[in-house]
Amino acid sequence: MVRREFWGSRGPQGRRVLLLGALGLVLGGVWWWAVLRLLLAPEGTGVVEGAVAAGGWGLSLLPVHVAARGAGAGVRRRQE
């Protein structure tokens, strides 16, 4: 009964959010692995660790919090 309520209340949209969250945690873990490996054992690291660390840092510079240009519900449009 608990399992049905947990999965049933989310629906397809909730499952997608759950999967994207899990993917984000996995990719974050891979990034931290690369950064810690570069810091703790730099002589044993290679191109892959450097690329993962630099790529993750570069993604953090993107404005991923920016919303689409369309107005949200309940927002008045500006008169031009």
Side-chain angles (χ1 to χ4, degrees), residues 16-78:
R16 184 176 359 179
V17 170
L18 192 65
L19 288 174
L20 287 175
L23 179 65
L25 286 174
V26 168
L27 292 177
V30 169
W31 182 80
W32 274 108
W33 166 78
V35 169
L36 289 176
R37 190 166 157 103
L38 280 169
L39 290 175
L40 299 176
E43 65 279 349
T45 59
V47 176
V48 174
E49 288 90 350
V52 168
W57 179 78
L59 284 176
S60 70
L61 299 177
L62 291 174
V64 294
H65 63 278
V66 176
R69 189 168 175 99
V75 177
R76 284 196 249 168
R77 294 194 182 268
R78 191 170 55 179

